[in-house]
Amino acid sequence: MQETDFLEPNNITLNKVGMRDKFIIEGRHKLKGEIDIWGSKNASLPIMAASLLNSGDLILDNVPPVKDNLTMAEILRYLGLSVEFLEGDKVLIKGEPKGYRAPYELVSRMRASFELMGPLLAYFGEAEIPYPGGCRIGLRPVDLHIKGFESLGAEITVDKGFVCARAKKGLKGAKIHLDKPSVGATRNIMMAAVLAQGETIIENAACEPEVVDLGNFLKSMGAEIEGLGTSTIYIKGKKELQPIDYYKIIPDRIAAGTFIIAGIMIGKDLVIKNIEPEHLQSLFIKLKEAGVNSLQIRDREVRVKGEKVWKGIEVTTMPYPGFPTDLQPQMMVFLSLAQGTSLIVETVFENRFLHVGELLRLGAKISIDGRTALIQGVEKLKGAPVEATDLRAGAALVLAGLVAEGVTEVLDVDEHIDRGYVALEEKLSTLGANVKRVSYEEGKKVSDLSL
Ligand code: EPZ
């Protein structure tokens, strides 16, 4: 990163080296009003990657200018495309890729960059992407992606930290059984298979809405794909795809879920708009089980009235349509304030309880045994300085700060929360919360906690 401030579109500013941002939250202010949910980050990322397969000018609509999307844009520019963020969460993508090797500095910022391998391999017959490595929520290997590409006839080597895939004579359709329904592997293989010779069948495929959205994007370019949203996806490879000029990304179900949980805990009358309720069924079911009866679910919005009490329940994270791991930390905050005991079992990632230590600092009572968290409900949380350790853990700590008594400081929000939430402090402030963003020197984390 450079020493100077680096201004990206839509006023996203990356900090100077050694500087970080934190949120200072004065808790207990009620949330009221309307919030428009932005487009899904986890659908935007692979669809931006798949735009390598489109020719001509393409406008992707509903692409939020979150940091991860800016990183993807930078990588696409490096590969030779022109990518411009326009008003209203639109991105204009033009040109054709000139290179098939993605740079380590950019890929290391975000694991989803590995999903460039499928489209690059399909387009060039070769691709070189740095091995993405582990991250704090788990080891997150890419073996299933690699096995999939090998089944399609690619030769894979690892050279100086890069995964190199070659299929000079083109890819050939194959039957691929995924050991786990990996979201990323399903998408990467799909993007490669649309231009392979013959039919590809992906068994035990991921059913997440973000997989379906990518599939629909590819279908709009003429790809032949069936079975989207089920565990078996059939793809008939084409010689080429047709250019398209517009595609609109689905709403972000995780952002929506985050605001819904916030609204239940500290809302007065909150309307969460531009959502797809169908994608949030597992959350609605669990909230109902906990005794939340005031949600009014309509066509494209949910009206949330704050609840006074709710009870402890058991939640197990699972691939879609199960309860999403990306809402597990936020749900843990909710259950920390429930009457009685709750259990959360995290089955998707092996280390996604990093927020627990921080929630303890706020007065939550949680113990962990392997992948299970036992939560003893408390009457209230009390403000304290806490550290965002990953994107959703950070979001959960913000929710905890909103509902806690006193002042909570959430550190490192630019590193984590900004990756997936658009100007969260502004959105919450508009709804009545008292949240300020403040820059601090990395060494000087904690202020005197006064607003
Ligand atoms: C996607 O990650 C999301 N990221 C994650 O969102 C989300 O938590 C995850 O799916 C699960 O829903 C994007 O869409 C960009 P996986 P992905 O492959 O594709 C294991 C967020 O907060 N696995 O479905 O990386 C893996 O280790 C993020 O927005 C292998 O073993 O997830 C994990 O335990 C974080 N080998 C499980 O499968 C592989 O080759 C599911 O991972 C691939 C995955």
Side-chain angles (χ1 to χ4, degrees):
M1 209 189 293
Q2 305 206 331
E3 269 298 321
T4 49
D5 276 356
F6 168 29
L7 195 66
E8 261 288 354
N10 299 21
N11 301 327
I12 293 254
T13 310
L14 303 184
N15 267 325
K16 284 180 185 163
V17 172
M19 295 299 287
R20 287 270 172 274
D21 282 357
K22 63 183 168 188
F23 286 163
I24 301 181
I25 307 169
E26 188 183 71
R28 300 269 168 107
H29 290 270
K30 296 274 185 203
L31 303 182
K32 193 174 185 308
E34 293 185 352
I35 167 93
D36 279 330
I37 294 300
W38 51 89
S40 162
K41 161 186 87 83
N42 288 347
S44 303
L45 287 168
I47 290 175
M48 286 170 85
S51 69
L52 286 164
L53 300 176
N54 189 57
S55 47
D57 297 5
L58 167 68
I59 289 197
L60 290 180
D61 198 352
N62 225 14
V63 177
V66 292
K67 261 193 180 173
D68 277 6
N69 285 342
L70 302 183
T71 301
M72 181 57 88
E74 268 190 75
I75 302 178
L76 292 178
R77 285 180 200 125
Y78 180 94
L79 293 171
L81 300 188
S82 145
V83 185
E84 206 183 323
F85 281 79
L86 310 173
E87 283 299 304
D89 287 3
K90 292 186 177 54
V91 178
L92 172 61
I93 303 181
K94 293 197 242 185
E96 279 169 19
K98 295 181 183 68
Y100 55 81
R101 186 177 166 94
Y104 176 74
E105 310 77 63
L106 294 175
V107 171
S108 60
R109 285 191 208 162
M110 183 183 70
R111 291 182 48 85
S113 348
F114 200 72
E115 290 182 47
L116 287 156
M117 183 150 260
L120 285 173
L121 191 55
Y123 189 91
F124 288 108
E126 49 192 335
E128 296 178 0
I129 315 274
Y131 214 103
C135 79
R136 295 175 91 170
I137 61 173
L139 189 59
R140 301 183 78 185
V142 285
D143 55 322
L144 302 175
H145 302 236
I146 290 176
K147 276 191 208 161
F149 294 135
E150 282 175 336
S151 302
L152 295 175
E155 191 190 309
I156 308 283
T157 52
V158 178
D159 184 35
K160 298 192 183 91
F162 279 70
V163 180
C164 307
R166 310 225 186 285
K168 286 285 177 57
K169 291 186 186 147
L171 296 166
K172 283 214 173 93
K175 190 170 183 174
I176 297 166
H177 182 92
L178 296 177
D179 294 339
K180 290 181 191 170
S182 156
V183 173
T186 304
R187 294 191 299 220
N188 227 346
I189 294 166
M190 249 164 60
M191 291 187 274
V194 288
L195 288 178
Q197 210 181 61
E199 190 180 36
T200 297
I201 301 174
I202 311 176
E203 289 178 344
N204 200 23
C207 304
E208 269 68 4
E210 297 78 17
V211 174
V212 176
D213 206 26
L214 168 68
N216 286 335
F217 173 72
L218 294 167
K219 278 170 79 169
S220 69
M221 291 196 283
E224 271 190 57
I225 307 175
E226 276 175 33
L228 288 171
T230 76
S231 56
T232 309
I233 297 178
Y234 302 86
I235 302 162
K236 270 200 192 128
K238 289 263 187 173
K239 279 219 168 89
E240 55 183 14
L241 300 178
Q242 307 305 318
I244 56 163
D245 54 17
Y246 179 86
Y247 189 81
K248 186 165 183 181
I249 311 273
I250 55 168
D252 195 311
R253 65 190 166 108
I254 305 301
T258 305
F259 278 94
I260 291 169
I261 296 172
I264 293 167
M265 294 194 298
I266 190 78
K268 213 170 174 185
D269 187 8
L270 189 61
V271 183
I272 297 144
K273 301 178 84 153
N274 296 338
I275 66 163
E276 181 47 80
E278 187 53 35
H279 296 165
L280 288 155
Q281 286 307 319
S282 59
L283 173 66
F284 295 148
I285 288 167
K286 284 292 153 186
L287 291 174
K288 193 148 195 216
E289 211 179 303
V292 173
N293 290 313
S294 62
L295 286 190
Q296 289 173 27
I297 302 161
R298 302 196 185 124
D299 190 20
R300 300 275 296 166
E301 64 179 43
V302 177
R303 185 175 211 124
V304 188
K305 290 207 173 115
E307 300 272 341
K308 287 206 171 67
V309 286
W310 51 91
K311 58 177 194 278
I313 52 165
E314 287 186 27
V315 177
T316 301
T317 65
M318 297 284 264
Y320 191 84
F323 191 89
T325 173
D326 292 348
L327 282 176
Q328 177 261 106
Q330 300 90 315
M331 196 65 174
M332 191 177 282
V333 175
F334 171 75
L335 295 179
S336 292
L337 292 164
Q339 285 183 338
T341 307
S342 301
L343 273 186
I344 293 187
V345 185
E346 171 58 60
T347 73
V348 181
F349 290 110
E350 67 271 22
N351 195 27
R352 206 171 199 181
F353 282 145
L354 292 163
H355 42 286
V356 171
E358 304 305 298
L359 291 176
L360 295 182
R361 294 175 57 76
L362 299 172
K365 283 196 181 157
I366 307 168
S367 59
I368 297 176
D369 183 7
R371 289 185 169 207
T372 303
L374 175 71
I375 304 147
Q376 192 66 53
V378 294
E379 260 181 33
K380 64 178 177 191
L381 299 176
K382 276 195 198 160
V386 287
E387 208 160 325
T389 45
D390 65 80
L391 165 58
R392 309 300 171 186
L397 293 173
V398 171
L399 296 195
L402 292 176
V403 76
E405 188 181 88
V407 177
T408 298
E409 293 201 1
V410 183
L411 305 175
D412 282 0
V413 297
D414 55 317
E415 273 285 288
H416 300 292
I417 297 179
D418 288 352
R419 293 184 61 180
Y421 293 84
V422 189
L424 188 56
E425 75 283 16
E426 286 172 23
K427 298 219 150 71
L428 288 169
S429 300
T430 315
L431 299 174
N434 189 342
V435 185
K436 287 190 182 118
R437 179 185 290 259
V438 176
S439 288
Y440 65 98
E441 281 176 47
E442 246 170 316
K444 293 185 187 166
K445 290 185 170 179
V446 184
S447 72
D448 61 1
L449 290 185
S450 54
L451 277 176

